[in-house]
Amino acid sequence: MTAVKLTKMSHACVRLEKDGRTLVLDPGGFGEADAALGADAILVTHEHPDHFDEQRLRAALEADPAVGIWTLRSVAEKLSAAFPGRVHTVGHGDTFTVAGFDVQVHGELHAVIHPDLPRVTNVGFLVDEGRVFHPGDALTVPGQPVETLLAPVQAPWNKIAEVIEYVREVRPRRVYDIHDALLTDLARPIYDTHLGNLGGADHGRLAPGASAQV
């Protein structure tokens, strides 16, 4: 199986590269302004601005007329009129191949932030038959083997005990942190220790711009 290069960008964004092609997931407003540039395809899990930055996506689409976006309806509606045929709406259970990657869509709703707040839609993307799973802002269990889980380690809607139990339920071979822009350097060793000792999987943390083979 061809190796995939996973590059962690800031917060929840990652770049996956294989056979000279690049898939970018969740290039949001907390990350690098150019995170989506150079992508062959872009996946977006949901509409929150730390995952979806409309202006940055428009810039990527305008820079390369071959680039397309695969996302849920709430995001697609903001872009599809300006880029006909290039913004594709997907939902739970869908499968597609893009930029040489096979993708399955899992999940439907964002995690609960507070009972008084309405839940937006959210999908996770399982890439290359479980090679990588990006759940977006939810603790979705895809129900099939996962080699590399991208775990959202810090958010207004979670706590570390829930993340640990999520890793245990998914049972990946390895875990890399995402959704960590609000986590201070003082807290990172604590999170690393708990996830490494209790998650039951190899745990790693990549600095923005760092890469690993998966």
Side-chain angles (χ1 to χ4, degrees):
M1 184 179 292
T2 303
V4 172
K5 179 182 178 182
L6 183 153
T7 301
K8 168 74 165 64
M9 308 302 288
S10 293
H11 197 52
C13 179
V14 298
R15 294 173 67 95
L16 302 178
E17 299 174 63
K18 181 180 70 173
D19 296 331
R21 307 186 75 186
T22 301
L23 182 66
V24 174
L25 294 86
D26 278 6
F30 285 10
E32 298 81 359
D34 61 351
L37 295 179
D40 293 286
I42 300 167
L43 310 182
V44 179
T45 63
H46 67 289
E47 65 196 76
H48 285 161
D50 56 325
H51 296 254
F52 163 58
D53 185 291
E54 182 173 350
Q55 296 308 312
R56 292 179 183 182
L57 289 184
R58 286 178 177 269
L61 290 166
E62 290 166 356
D64 185 349
V67 175
I69 294 177
W70 281 256
T71 186
L72 36 63
R73 185 174 304 279
S74 59
V75 171
E77 288 175 344
K78 295 177 171 63
L79 297 166
S80 56
F83 302 96
R86 299 173 62 191
V87 182
H88 309 274
T89 301
V90 297
H92 177 69
D94 288 341
T95 62
F96 56 94
T97 299
V98 60
F101 293 90
D102 295 324
V103 182
Q104 300 175 19
V105 184
H106 292 267
E108 299 181 69
L109 289 172
H110 191 288
V112 175
I113 300 172
H114 188 276
D116 290 351
L117 296 175
R119 295 172 73 183
V120 301
T121 50
N122 176 96
V123 294
F125 295 107
L126 186 70
V127 179
D128 277 356
E129 299 182 352
R131 182 83 66 91
V132 177
F133 183 55
H134 190 310
D137 273 11
L139 301 181
T140 302
V141 178
Q144 55 188 283
V146 173
E147 291 188 27
T148 300
L149 174 65
L150 304 176
V153 296
Q154 199 281 332
W157 48 267
N158 74 9
K159 59 184 179 180
I160 191 62
E162 295 170 339
V163 179
I164 291 166
E165 290 304 310
Y166 176 53
V167 173
R168 288 178 173 182
E169 189 170 2
V170 176
R171 300 178 64 186
R173 288 180 55 191
R174 69 184 69 88
V175 179
Y176 285 114
D177 296 352
I178 60 168
H179 215 285
D180 56 358
L182 301 182
L183 194 63
T184 71
D185 288 340
L186 287 173
R188 289 182 188 275
I190 300 171
Y191 279 66
D192 290 347
T193 298
H194 289 326
L195 282 168
N197 289 344
L198 300 174
D202 291 337
H203 172 259
R205 175 162 50 86
L206 296 172
S211 301
Q213 297 291 323
V214 298

